[in-house]
Amino acid sequence: MNLNFTPEQEAFRAEVQEWLADNLSARLADKVRTSKHLTKQDMEEWHAKLNAKGWLANHWPVEHGGPGWDPVQRFIFEHECALAHAPRVVPFGVNMLGPVLLKYGTDEQKAHYLPRILDGTDWWCQGYSEPGAGSDLASLKTAAVREGDHYVVNGQKTWTTLGQHADWIFCLVRTSKEGKPQEGISFLLIDMNTAGIEVRPIYLLDGDHEVNEVWFTDVKVPAENLVGTENMGWTIAKYLLTYERTGIAGVGFSTAALAELKRVVAQTEKADDPLFAARVAKVDIALENMKTTNLRVLAAAAGGGAPGAESSILKVKGTEIRQEINALFLRAMGPQAQPFISEALEDGFNGPETGPDGAAYAAKDYFNNRKLSIFGGSNEIQKNIVSKAMLGM
Amino acid sequence: MNLNFTPEQEAFRAEVQEWLADNLSARLADKVRTSKHLTKQDMEEWHAKLNAKGWLANHWPVEHGGPGWDPVQRFIFEHECALAHAPRVVPFGVNMLGPVLLKYGTDEQKAHYLPRILDGTDWWCQGYSEPGAGSDLASLKTAAVREGDHYVVNGQKTWTTLGQHADWIFCLVRTSKEGKPQEGISFLLIDMNTAGIEVRPIYLLDGDHEVNEVWFTDVKVPAENLVGTENMGWTIAKYLLTYERTGIAGVGFSTAALAELKRVVAQTEKADDPLFAARVAKVDIALENMKTTNLRVLAAAAGGGAPGAESSILKVKGTEIRQEINALFLRAMGPQAQPFISEALEDGFNGPETGPDGAAYAAKDYFNNRKLSIFGGSNEIQKNIVSKAMLGM
Amino acid sequence: MDFTPTDDRRMLADTLNRFLTDRYDHDTRMKIAGSEIGWSAELWAEMAELGLIGALFAEDEGGFGGHGFDIALIFEGLGRALVVEPFHGALAARALPADQREEVIAGALIPAFAHSEPGTSFAQDRLRTTVTDGKLSGTKVAVAQAEAAHIFIVSAQDSDGPALFMVNAEHANLTAYPLFDGGRGADVTFDDAPATRLSAPLDTVLNRALLALSAEALGIMERCKDTTVDYLKTRRQFGIPLSKFQALQHRAVDMVTEIEQTRSAVINAAHHLGGPGASKYAAAAKYTAAATGRMISEEAIQLHGGIAMTWEYDLAHAAKRLTMTAQIMGDEDVHLRRFPAL
Amino acid sequence: MDFTPTDDRRMLADTLNRFLTDRYDHDTRMKIAGSEIGWSAELWAEMAELGLIGALFAEDEGGFGGHGFDIALIFEGLGRALVVEPFHGALAARALPADQREEVIAGALIPAFAHSEPGTSFAQDRLRTTVTDGKLSGTKVAVAQAEAAHIFIVSAQDSDGPALFMVNAEHANLTAYPLFDGGRGADVTFDDAPATRLSAPLDTVLNRALLALSAEALGIMERCKDTTVDYLKTRRQFGIPLSKFQALQHRAVDMVTEIEQTRSAVINAAHHLGGPGASKYAAAAKYTAAATGRMISEEAIQLHGGIAMTWEYDLAHAAKRLTMTAQIMGDEDVHLRRFPAL
């Protein structure tokens, strides 16, 4: 039993840190640290840097452009990126479609799509949720009907993150109404430029445009865009959901956010409040514990154990910790959390400062991160999973 | 809208206080305040005092010996008794069987049993719960089979509080297996001296003997001991469960306990701890709020509104508050909660004092009062009721 | 003891609710709250006309209410409708001389209440705004509807300790902005501004403000709870309504329970306003409202799921406003720490 | 990074668990814990023989373990079995001179660790027990198994500050009693007792004690959780097992989640024991174990219902012991307040 990383792992960490110091621009890191809006160009710039180094698709096998890391290395990399305030890698192509194609795609699909994910030719988005099918994904209704050498797709997807930038969407669609609802679902790749697709913005409660609705009206999709066989979409979706998620607890983000919280609190009266100090200490301890809980699950995975329901625990507790840090940040702002100058979240804002560091985005971040316990399988769904899988209840 | 009591109500309060000052012995009040064991004689002494004044059966109509109080008067009376550290009235005869006989009993039953409850001739206990039927009372199995002019009862009751002192038990028994489980239940009065009844003590986790199992083997019960008609027991039980419960939130007990907590804490290091002060302030505020919540429900009841699901809210929150005060008392004792000298809870103990005031019973009270959220319909059952009745969920 | 409202208050509640239902529906509110000026002068005039400002003041102050229960009633209603007009400033006008107060009641004069300072939230003994020789200097933050104000009611220290002062708007320097939860506010800097010392003690005005914010939060909580329960009954998952999942049922019950406790806290504060227990029960109410408000807005969003995070869904705006009522004038910890000594 | 136990520790765990299963079943434990002397000298000798005391010490201390992970492993097992024998006193023997320590490891010499004082729980800077000219005076409370002890390891202030001292049992005045959670303890008064100053710093011994108590609590929590989950699967209500009620499922999951976090806290404290982070992670572990312990014992009882409150049901005794581990050596608030400065 040893919590220390090996000398090799420490050397790897140093290499990552050095590379980040040389390659992550102060401009980008500062935007991330202060929760500014990242443009499509910002994200593409970061992807290109990572891809040039060979670190973009860090889950992929070496022959397809992965760096050949083990789970601990991936964890260290993601952790250091978070601490350095690097932008998050947009996951849809690299972390979601990539693994699916690697496991279920044809050689032609792999050869065509994977390089285009790496070099940024294709921006992917995800077509899973529907207005009536969120946590209960199996009840989805968007229909794909085979007609000769193509499918005709009709229906609606929602919560499509960054869909406004996307060239392609991977979708779960209903190809059969026979049997259980799960059994009639297929996994389809759709060019966003096809006739009949309409993207409508969903504005979030802070006015941000981050997610979208995607409407399909008689959209023709070539049959070769099917991944796997017809009606095996649920198997693919489950594969992705249980796919190793080293970063699901978000301890890197929480660690960075907690450091920022401690720094900023000193500018407010909360610095003298023993009750606030206790709140910070509580989440600090919970995060120290969670780091080790996360490493334990990781070690089990690296040792060949399947991280199943344990990752649900990481998700629930990890998101609670991140949300609590956001909540404490908001508390520390007191009334100065109220001003909301949306331009202050864009590059080059020169308007007045109102409040301590972080006042400009404390409320926005607090509310925006309420999503953490909702998406990717709500925390209630995660608890159902743990109850069944770990406790046999 | 006015939170003040009327001058008449204040006069009534003064009358109660004065009577308590004159009639509640310092010996008894001190035993109650310091959580000492009350003997059967202690409880009988207090009942006799109340009965002599005509205040024992304060829910009963005047013609049967009640004082003719309205709900607010009853609330004031119970509140003042709690603040004065009066013993609780043992509820089984006065507050439970009494109302049942008044509503469902024959004239003969009323004439026979009610005076004997008042003067203490009969000590009653309750036979509701069974090993397999706690919160799910309708599944009870104890069977009463009619044979000529009597029933033959077989089965087992449990959690029979103070059953070791009882002369009589009122029981829910199964008289039919037809229809829904609720439909075959009857309400039967059984003399504890009948052959075939065995009382076995259940010792609680602090070693106390407070509850019992009662076993019935071919117990012959005269048919005239049936209350109401056969198979109407569920109706009677529900009547009792929804019977007006002015004191269910226990605010009087909580108020007395909180005052004792504040007094005792000054003897410990917790007096200097801002986190402990915050815990006390939280429960203090919750109790101030609960007092008004309780009065609101009471006022609605006095105004003719039926206190249904609202009393479930009082029960849940009221017990949480009482349990939290017990928990804070325990915390304040630190390691000095560990010594447990059971003789110290009896009259005339002259052994060594260990720890601050209250150390002798802090742990015992904390654990004993975990029952508050379990019995009388667990807090989970209460939440089911609120969800259905108030929210229509 | 009597929990039935008086006939006068029942009529007032009817007037208020009818007006808000007819003239301040959610779409209207969103238009006003997001507009350039962040409030509606027209509706303000109508509300003054209906007596909604006058109800905040006693007869000898030129109004026809002014009891804690009047204030609670009005602000609970305003909260439920997410009203952004400058009622909090108007409430503070109790401190003003009679002439100005009557103008406020008529809707003609709009005051803003300027209390919070940078990095602080509530504490009177930390005021850094000072008055010397009748000149007031200092900075106040997040002053609601400051641009609309003709005068400012400002807390500050002079040689006699903390007190309230009146400053004309022409002597205030504003850095104005939209507020996260709708409407507008400003950081307000005073630089040797001519100031009139007001006779009303600071803490009586603060207690009124705490009561009003707590009642406002209560109204928003009720709205959030109703919306959530309705949604749970409508939305189906795995073939059955969400309202049939026991874990969600129990959480909804916890929401109801804490809201009932908050209502009691508001009643207590209203009852004691102006009496010796005023500060104690105002602190208890603000603590309760802030703690419960955070719980209700988080649970309402979580029990809804993603839809509650969208601009189009009205709960989102209720949750934002509810959260902000906890940020203003001291959060739960601030008032919890004050409570034992009160 | 490696979370697999070494072969040595796997063997130690096997030895421990086999012994406790075979020789320390619940009935035996209850007999011992409720006996006149409140412990078993026979089983103590057997446990010493098996090396369960030696595992608490490093080789250069005469043992064959002594790492944080050894201490955690032993006390987690002892916790799960609700062992009442004087292991906490033995653990403190690290402070003793080599001769006595070796006797302790052999099971021949029994020390008691006397730290808590009346009205206090943990703070070193509040010690009122003092040493002047080699004579120790003061009162210690709730000293576990004090009657069994041959020597006392006592925290006290001398002119150089807080430190540890050794006092022979003949100089201790005991007021002994049964403990609420089984076994016996005593208030111990020293009156100019001859005392030997020990060289081991007080905080290293305290950190070991905090780790041990946290690990012990962890073992009890696991037992409480397992018992509860089993019960929920067995017990039926309204025709279905309790384990099918979603509200109860989610609460069971919350228990598991917090226990996993407690396990991580214990691992952290074990890892850092003896290093610069020792005090910080020991405080974090005790905070986590105390807060979680309270939650687990309350939830375990509530999810069971009345049966968990009876003497006959073993969960009751686990819940009592778990609760008491939180009372000893500082509760969650004490360590939460210490944490930020560590």
Side-chain angles (χ1 to χ4, degrees):
Chain A
M1 191 92 103
N2 190 347
L3 275 187
N4 294 330
F5 288 99
T6 63
E8 292 74 24
Q9 287 165 340
E10 288 296 349
F12 174 73
R13 182 203 299 283
E15 182 191 354
V16 172
Q17 287 173 338
E18 193 182 340
W19 184 84
L20 285 167
D22 292 345
N23 289 275
L24 175 62
S25 68
R27 186 191 71 83
L28 265 187
D30 202 55
K31 284 187 80 166
V32 170
R33 185 180 60 77
T34 58
S35 278
K36 289 217 165 53
H37 289 131
L38 296 185
T39 62
K40 186 178 184 184
Q41 287 69 34
D42 289 333
M43 295 184 259
E44 286 176 336
E45 173 189 326
W46 183 237
H47 280 218
K49 285 255 168 101
L50 288 171
N51 190 44
K53 177 69 177 173
W55 286 357
L56 177 60
N58 66 53
H59 286 254
W60 295 12
V62 176
E63 64 267 31
H64 288 288
W69 291 343
D70 65 22
V72 176
Q73 285 177 294
R74 289 199 287 272
F75 173 82
I76 291 173
F77 174 75
E78 288 171 11
H79 195 77
E80 292 301 326
C81 284
L83 295 188
H85 305 292
R88 299 199 70 159
V89 169
V90 180
F92 308 107
V94 174
N95 296 331
M96 303 180 85
L97 182 61
V100 163
L101 290 179
L102 285 163
K103 186 165 172 81
Y104 296 100
T106 62
D107 288 343
E108 291 73 22
Q109 287 172 334
K110 291 182 204 175
H112 177 74
Y113 292 110
L114 294 179
R116 295 165 64 95
I117 290 174
L118 290 180
D119 69 14
T121 308
D122 295 337
W123 182 297
W124 283 88
C125 66
Q126 180 190 38
Y128 271 30
S129 295
E130 298 185 4
S135 292
D136 178 16
L137 202 52
S139 67
L140 64 85
K141 292 198 171 57
T142 296
V145 178
R146 181 73 182 251
E147 294 187 1
D149 61 355
H150 60 265
Y151 289 94
V152 178
V153 178
N154 280 284
Q156 185 200 343
K157 294 293 177 180
T158 191
W159 307 125
T160 310
T161 303
L162 300 180
Q164 70 266 39
H165 302 323
D167 306 300
W168 284 80
I169 184 169
F170 56 89
C171 279
L172 292 177
V173 292
R174 180 156 305 287
T175 38
S176 165
K177 292 176 181 170
E178 310 284 306
K180 291 189 198 165
Q182 296 91 311
E183 289 166 5
I185 293 172
S186 298
F187 194 100
L188 207 54
L189 311 179
I190 305 178
D191 184 338
M192 292 289 277
N193 290 312
T194 320
I197 295 182
E198 190 191 350
V199 179
R200 299 183 195 167
I202 298 173
Y203 292 100
L204 295 182
L205 47 64
D206 55 5
D208 267 13
H209 176 200
E210 185 175 299
V211 289
N212 301 271
E213 295 174 349
V214 183
W215 295 70
F216 300 87
T217 311
D218 294 333
V219 175
K220 281 189 164 186
V221 181
E224 72 240 32
N225 288 15
L226 182 72
V227 179
T229 57
E230 205 171 89
N231 298 332
M232 82 176 290
W234 190 252
T235 305
I236 297 176
K238 274 204 309 188
Y239 169 70
L240 250 189
L241 281 174
T242 57
Y243 189 74
E244 184 195 321
R245 291 169 292 179
T246 48
I248 197 172
V251 298
F253 299 108
S254 288
T255 304
L258 181 61
E260 187 71 3
L261 171 68
K262 289 178 178 176
R263 189 183 72 75
V264 167
V265 163
Q267 302 173 41
T268 76
E269 70 172 1
K270 288 294 183 197
D272 309 323
D273 182 346
L275 303 187
F276 192 79
R279 290 184 190 272
V280 175
K282 266 185 202 177
V283 75
D284 197 346
I285 293 172
L287 180 55
E288 289 292 337
N289 295 342
M290 176 47 70
K291 283 177 188 169
T292 295
T293 306
N294 197 359
L295 291 175
R296 286 164 54 211
V297 175
L298 196 63
E310 288 80 5
S311 66
S312 291
I313 286 183
L314 297 184
K315 204 261 178 178
V316 171
K317 194 71 194 176
T319 55
E320 284 176 3
I321 289 170
R322 283 184 68 189
Q323 290 178 333
E324 176 63 7
I325 295 170
N326 287 133
L328 294 182
F329 209 101
L330 180 65
R331 278 180 196 274
M333 296 299 123
Q336 294 186 281
Q338 289 181 96
F340 187 61
I341 304 166
S342 55
E343 303 81 37
L345 302 172
E346 307 298 342
D347 274 327
F349 174 70
N350 277 317
E353 297 251 345
T354 60
D357 289 355
Y361 57 86
K364 171 188 132 65
D365 275 10
Y366 166 77
F367 277 105
N368 190 283
N369 274 348
R370 301 313 302 171
K371 75 185 173 198
L372 295 175
S373 48
I374 295 172
F375 73 2
S378 73
N379 283 14
E380 289 74 26
I381 295 286
Q382 305 294 341
K383 289 184 184 184
N384 290 348
I385 291 171
V386 175
S387 168
K388 193 167 177 183
M390 283 180 72
L391 302 180
M393 286 178 71
Chain B
M1 190 93 103
N2 191 347
L3 277 186
N4 294 329
F5 288 100
T6 63
E8 292 74 24
Q9 289 164 339
E10 287 297 347
F12 174 74
R13 182 203 300 282
E15 182 190 354
V16 171
Q17 287 172 339
E18 193 182 340
W19 184 84
L20 285 167
D22 293 343
N23 289 275
L24 174 61
S25 69
R27 186 190 71 83
L28 265 188
D30 202 54
K31 283 187 81 165
V32 171
R33 187 180 59 78
T34 58
S35 278
K36 290 218 165 52
H37 289 131
L38 296 185
T39 63
K40 186 178 184 186
Q41 288 69 33
D42 289 334
M43 294 184 259
E44 287 175 336
E45 174 189 325
W46 183 237
H47 280 220
K49 286 254 169 104
L50 288 171
N51 189 43
K53 177 68 179 174
W55 286 358
L56 177 60
N58 66 52
H59 286 255
W60 296 11
V62 177
E63 64 268 31
H64 289 287
W69 292 342
D70 64 23
V72 176
Q73 285 177 296
R74 290 198 287 272
F75 174 83
I76 290 172
F77 174 75
E78 289 170 11
H79 195 78
E80 292 302 326
C81 284
L83 294 188
H85 304 293
R88 299 198 71 158
V89 169
V90 180
F92 309 108
V94 174
N95 296 331
M96 302 178 84
L97 181 62
V100 162
L101 290 179
L102 285 163
K103 188 167 171 81
Y104 297 100
T106 61
D107 288 343
E108 292 71 23
Q109 286 171 333
K110 290 182 206 174
H112 178 74
Y113 292 109
L114 293 179
R116 295 164 64 94
I117 290 173
L118 289 180
D119 69 14
T121 308
D122 295 337
W123 182 298
W124 283 89
C125 66
Q126 181 190 38
Y128 271 30
S129 295
E130 298 185 3
S135 291
D136 178 17
L137 203 52
S139 66
L140 64 85
K141 292 197 171 57
T142 296
V145 179
R146 181 75 181 251
E147 294 186 1
D149 61 354
H150 60 264
Y151 289 94
V152 177
V153 177
N154 279 284
Q156 184 198 346
K157 294 292 176 180
T158 191
W159 306 126
T160 310
T161 303
L162 300 180
Q164 70 267 41
H165 302 323
D167 306 300
W168 283 81
I169 183 170
F170 56 89
C171 280
L172 292 179
V173 293
R174 181 157 303 287
T175 39
S176 164
K177 292 178 181 168
E178 311 283 308
K180 291 190 200 162
Q182 297 91 310
E183 289 167 5
I185 293 172
S186 298
F187 194 101
L188 208 54
L189 311 178
I190 306 178
D191 185 337
M192 292 289 279
N193 290 311
T194 320
I197 295 182
E198 190 191 350
V199 178
R200 299 183 192 165
I202 299 174
Y203 293 99
L204 295 182
L205 47 64
D206 55 5
D208 267 14
H209 176 199
E210 185 175 299
V211 289
N212 302 271
E213 294 174 349
V214 182
W215 295 71
F216 300 87
T217 312
D218 294 333
V219 175
K220 279 188 166 186
V221 180
E224 71 239 35
N225 288 14
L226 181 71
V227 178
T229 57
E230 204 171 270
N231 299 331
M232 84 177 289
W234 190 251
T235 306
I236 298 177
K238 273 203 310 187
Y239 169 70
L240 251 189
L241 282 173
T242 58
Y243 190 75
E244 185 195 319
R245 292 169 292 180
T246 48
I248 197 172
V251 297
F253 300 107
S254 289
T255 304
L258 181 61
E260 188 71 3
L261 171 68
K262 288 179 179 175
R263 189 184 71 75
V264 167
V265 163
Q267 302 174 41
T268 76
E269 70 173 359
K270 289 295 184 196
D272 309 325
D273 182 346
L275 302 187
F276 192 79
R279 290 184 189 274
V280 175
K282 265 185 201 178
V283 76
D284 198 344
I285 292 173
L287 180 56
E288 289 292 339
N289 295 342
M290 176 48 71
K291 283 177 188 167
T292 295
T293 306
N294 197 358
L295 291 176
R296 286 164 52 211
V297 175
L298 198 63
E310 287 79 6
S311 67
S312 292
I313 286 183
L314 298 183
K315 204 264 180 179
V316 171
K317 193 71 195 177
T319 56
E320 284 175 5
I321 289 170
R322 283 184 68 188
Q323 291 178 332
E324 175 64 8
I325 294 170
N326 287 134
L328 294 183
F329 208 100
L330 180 65
R331 278 179 196 273
M333 296 298 125
Q336 295 185 281
Q338 289 181 95
F340 186 62
I341 305 166
S342 54
E343 304 81 37
L345 301 173
E346 308 297 342
D347 274 326
F349 175 70
N350 277 318
E353 297 253 345
T354 59
D357 288 354
Y361 56 85
K364 169 187 133 64
D365 275 8
Y366 166 77
F367 277 105
N368 191 283
N369 273 346
R370 301 313 304 171
K371 76 185 173 197
L372 295 175
S373 49
I374 294 171
F375 73 2
S378 72
N379 283 13
E380 289 74 25
I381 295 287
Q382 305 295 343
K383 288 184 185 185
N384 290 348
I385 291 171
V386 176
S387 167
K388 193 166 175 183
M390 283 180 74
L391 302 180
M393 287 176 69
Chain C
M1 198 189 67
D2 182 9
F3 291 95
T4 46
T6 60
D7 286 347
D8 284 353
R9 284 202 195 104
R10 214 183 335 252
M11 280 171 55
L12 179 63
D14 286 348
T15 303
L16 174 69
N17 293 332
R18 201 167 333 111
F19 176 81
L20 294 173
T21 306
D22 293 348
R23 305 274 291 135
Y24 214 94
D25 61 280
H26 186 65
D27 288 347
T28 306
R29 188 269 175 188
M30 291 307 294
K31 245 177 245 145
I32 295 171
S35 68
E36 288 268 313
I37 65 164
W39 66 296
S40 163
E42 180 196 345
L43 292 179
W44 181 248
E46 288 185 42
M47 291 190 276
E49 181 78 20
L50 282 172
L52 303 186
I53 306 173
L56 303 174
F57 298 90
E59 283 187 31
D60 62 5
E61 294 167 336
F64 56 89
H67 190 282
F69 290 121
D70 299 307
I71 296 171
L73 185 161
I74 295 278
F75 276 90
E76 184 183 340
L78 298 175
R80 186 176 258 278
L82 310 181
V83 171
V84 293
E85 276 65 24
F87 275 93
H88 286 283
L91 182 68
R94 184 167 189 272
L96 293 179
D99 285 0
Q100 279 97 334
R101 194 168 54 227
E102 279 160 27
E103 278 191 82
V104 171
I105 291 171
L109 183 74
I110 298 180
F113 182 40
H115 177 58
S116 302
E117 298 188 355
T120 76
S121 58
F122 184 73
Q124 307 179 34
D125 53 357
R126 292 182 179 223
L127 288 175
R128 289 185 300 254
T129 301
T130 55
V131 176
T132 313
D133 298 333
K135 306 284 187 181
L136 185 145
S137 295
T139 296
K140 297 291 184 174
V141 298
V143 178
Q145 303 297 10
E147 293 161 300
H150 305 108
I151 55 169
F152 288 86
I153 299 167
V154 188
S155 58
Q157 306 260 7
D158 70 4
S159 53
D160 294 334
L164 288 168
F165 298 83
M166 179 172 69
V167 178
N168 279 330
E170 65 196 57
H171 301 296
N173 298 306
L174 271 55
T175 302
Y177 37 67
L179 298 180
F180 190 74
D181 55 339
R184 290 178 63 83
D187 288 3
V188 183
T189 300
F190 303 98
D191 193 8
D192 278 340
T196 308
R197 194 179 207 278
L198 301 172
S199 57
L202 176 56
D203 63 353
T204 65
V205 172
L206 291 177
N207 287 337
R208 282 164 73 93
L210 294 176
L211 168 62
L213 274 166
S214 305
E216 187 177 1
L218 174 63
I220 312 173
M221 286 175 206
E222 291 278 11
R223 173 181 174 144
C224 290
K225 181 257 292 173
D226 291 346
T227 305
T228 303
V229 171
D230 287 348
Y231 182 82
L232 293 174
K233 289 181 190 172
T234 311
R235 172 82 176 182
R236 300 172 75 87
Q237 231 172 49
F238 307 107
I240 51 171
L242 285 177
S243 60
K244 295 300 173 195
F245 288 89
Q246 195 197 28
L248 309 190
Q249 289 175 347
H250 283 201
R251 285 162 69 176
V253 170
D254 291 343
M255 290 170 72
V256 171
T257 302
E258 296 307 326
I259 292 174
E260 288 302 325
Q261 286 279 85
T262 305
R263 181 171 296 285
S264 293
V266 168
I267 290 172
N268 287 347
H271 175 76
H272 287 281
L273 191 73
S279 293
K280 172 178 174 177
Y281 287 97
K286 188 63 166 67
Y287 159 77
T288 306
T292 309
R294 187 69 65 111
M295 171 218 185
I296 298 296
S297 78
E298 292 183 353
E299 284 289 83
I301 291 173
Q302 183 69 26
L303 293 179
H304 271 89
I307 191 171
M309 293 186 57
T310 64
W311 187 271
E312 288 306 310
Y313 195 70
D314 74 345
L315 177 81
H317 302 280
K320 288 192 291 182
R321 177 78 200 126
L322 181 53
T323 299
M324 287 303 165
T325 62
Q327 298 287 126
I328 301 169
M329 303 281 293
D331 67 9
E332 67 197 83
D333 291 348
V334 167
H335 293 286
L336 195 63
R337 289 175 64 206
R338 293 175 68 224
F339 181 80
L342 296 174
Chain D
M1 197 189 67
D2 182 9
F3 291 94
T4 47
T6 60
D7 286 346
D8 284 353
R9 285 203 195 104
R10 217 187 327 256
M11 282 170 53
L12 179 62
D14 285 348
T15 304
L16 174 69
N17 294 331
R18 202 170 328 113
F19 177 82
L20 295 173
T21 306
D22 293 348
R23 305 274 292 134
Y24 213 94
D25 61 280
H26 186 65
D27 288 348
T28 306
R29 187 269 175 189
M30 291 307 295
K31 246 178 244 143
I32 295 171
S35 68
E36 289 268 313
I37 66 164
W39 67 295
S40 164
E42 180 195 345
L43 292 179
W44 179 248
E46 289 187 41
M47 291 191 275
E49 181 77 22
L50 282 173
L52 302 187
I53 305 173
L56 303 175
F57 298 91
E59 285 187 30
D60 61 5
E61 295 169 335
F64 56 88
H67 190 282
F69 290 120
D70 299 307
I71 295 170
L73 185 161
I74 295 278
F75 277 89
E76 184 183 341
L78 299 175
R80 187 175 256 277
L82 309 181
V83 171
V84 294
E85 277 64 26
F87 275 93
H88 286 283
L91 182 68
R94 183 167 189 272
L96 293 178
D99 286 359
Q100 280 96 332
R101 196 169 53 228
E102 279 160 26
E103 280 191 79
V104 171
I105 291 170
L109 182 75
I110 298 179
F113 181 41
H115 176 59
S116 302
E117 300 189 354
T120 76
S121 59
F122 185 73
Q124 307 181 33
D125 53 356
R126 292 181 178 226
L127 288 175
R128 289 185 300 254
T129 301
T130 54
V131 177
T132 313
D133 299 333
K135 307 282 189 183
L136 185 144
S137 295
T139 297
K140 298 290 184 175
V141 297
V143 178
Q145 303 296 12
E147 293 162 301
H150 306 107
I151 54 169
F152 288 85
I153 299 168
V154 188
S155 57
Q157 304 261 8
D158 71 3
S159 52
D160 294 332
L164 287 168
F165 298 83
M166 179 171 69
V167 179
N168 279 331
E170 65 195 61
H171 300 296
N173 298 306
L174 270 54
T175 302
Y177 35 69
L179 298 180
F180 189 77
D181 55 339
R184 289 179 63 83
D187 289 3
V188 183
T189 299
F190 303 98
D191 193 6
D192 278 339
T196 309
R197 195 180 207 279
L198 301 171
S199 57
L202 176 57
D203 63 353
T204 66
V205 171
L206 292 177
N207 287 336
R208 280 163 75 92
L210 294 176
L211 168 62
L213 274 166
S214 304
E216 187 176 3
L218 174 64
I220 312 173
M221 285 175 209
E222 291 278 11
R223 173 181 173 144
C224 289
K225 181 257 293 172
D226 291 347
T227 305
T228 303
V229 171
D230 287 349
Y231 183 82
L232 292 176
K233 290 181 190 172
T234 311
R235 172 81 175 184
R236 299 172 76 87
Q237 232 173 51
F238 306 107
I240 52 172
L242 284 177
S243 60
K244 295 301 173 196
F245 288 89
Q246 195 197 26
L248 309 189
Q249 290 175 347
H250 283 201
R251 285 162 68 174
V253 170
D254 291 344
M255 291 170 73
V256 170
T257 302
E258 296 306 327
I259 291 174
E260 289 301 325
Q261 285 281 83
T262 305
R263 181 170 295 286
S264 294
V266 168
I267 289 172
N268 287 347
H271 175 77
H272 287 281
L273 192 73
S279 294
K280 173 178 173 177
Y281 287 97
K286 188 62 167 64
Y287 159 77
T288 305
T292 309
R294 187 67 66 109
M295 171 218 184
I296 298 296
S297 77
E298 293 183 353
E299 284 290 85
I301 291 173
Q302 184 69 25
L303 293 179
H304 271 87
I307 190 171
M309 294 185 57
T310 65
W311 187 272
E312 288 306 310
Y313 195 70
D314 74 345
L315 177 81
H317 302 281
K320 287 193 290 183
R321 177 77 200 124
L322 180 54
T323 298
M324 287 304 166
T325 61
Q327 298 286 127
I328 301 169
M329 304 282 293
D331 67 9
E332 66 198 81
D333 292 349
V334 168
H335 292 286
L336 195 62
R337 288 174 65 204
R338 293 176 68 228
F339 180 80
L342 297 173

